[in-house]
């Protein structure tokens, strides 16, 4: 299996097309670090999409993108990382999300990295 990662992407990236695209590298430009425990979170995000707990879709052969506001990203991560809140990488991720524009959507991207 390929490496998988989760990150926050810029939905205003002109090369990214949420509605369509050619499925070759069609994911928003990464603006965050890769998330801690990305392998496990990748499958959790896919489950959330497929069970309609979050809006999202496959946008690339190996990527799924969820348009989310920072408070939605924060809530999803808070639930996922509830046992790892003392981890410094998790704390850095939460600080990054807190600094995002609260009135703008970003892409939560679950992506296979080849």
């Amino acid at each position: 299996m390929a490496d998988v990662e989760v990150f926050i992407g810029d939905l205003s990236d002109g090369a990214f097309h949420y509605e369509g695209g050619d499925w070759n590298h069609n994911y928003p430009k990464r603006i965050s670090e890769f998330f801690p425990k990305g392998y496990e979170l990748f499958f959790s995000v896919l489950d959330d999409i497929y069970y309609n707990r979050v809006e999202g879709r496959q946008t690339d052969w190996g990527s799924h993108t969820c348009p989310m506001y920072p408070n939605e990203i924060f809530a999803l991560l808070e639930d996922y990382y509830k046992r790892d809140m003392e981890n410094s990488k998790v704390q850095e991720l939460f600080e990054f999300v807190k600094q995002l524009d609260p009135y703008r959507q970003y892409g939560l991207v679950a992506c296979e990295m080849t």
Side-chain angles (χ1 to χ4, degrees):
M1 168 169 237
D3 288 332
V4 293
E5 298 286 355
V6 179
F7 59 88
I8 297 172
D10 180 3
L11 290 180
S12 67
D13 174 9
F16 172 68
H17 302 283
Y18 186 70
E19 301 286 340
D22 69 5
W23 283 39
N24 288 310
H25 304 288
N26 187 37
Y27 47 85
K29 179 181 176 187
R30 183 168 61 94
I31 61 170
S32 74
E33 297 293 327
F34 292 123
F35 290 8
K37 296 171 55 177
Y39 182 85
E40 295 170 14
L41 183 55
F42 174 88
F43 294 103
S44 179
V45 171
L46 294 188
D47 282 349
D48 285 346
I49 293 169
Y50 289 121
Y51 289 108
N52 294 317
R53 292 187 291 254
V54 299
E55 177 191 338
R57 67 173 44 158
Q58 187 171 5
T59 58
D60 177 82
W61 293 112
S63 299
H64 291 69
T65 302
C66 303
M68 301 178 92
Y69 289 98
N71 65 317
E72 295 170 316
I73 296 170
F74 197 88
L76 184 141
L77 296 179
E78 213 172 24
D79 183 54
Y80 181 75
Y81 288 116
K82 61 187 162 208
R83 293 187 179 108
D84 299 303
M85 294 305 280
E86 300 302 318
N87 180 298
S88 63
K89 293 292 184 186
V90 170
Q91 288 299 314
E92 289 172 17
L93 174 58
F94 278 96
E95 288 303 314
F96 177 82
V97 173
K98 287 178 186 177
Q99 294 176 17
L100 296 173
D101 181 346
Y103 303 106
R104 179 176 167 207
Q105 283 189 317
Y106 297 86
L108 180 70
V109 181
C111 184
E112 289 182 17
M113 309 299 286
T114 55

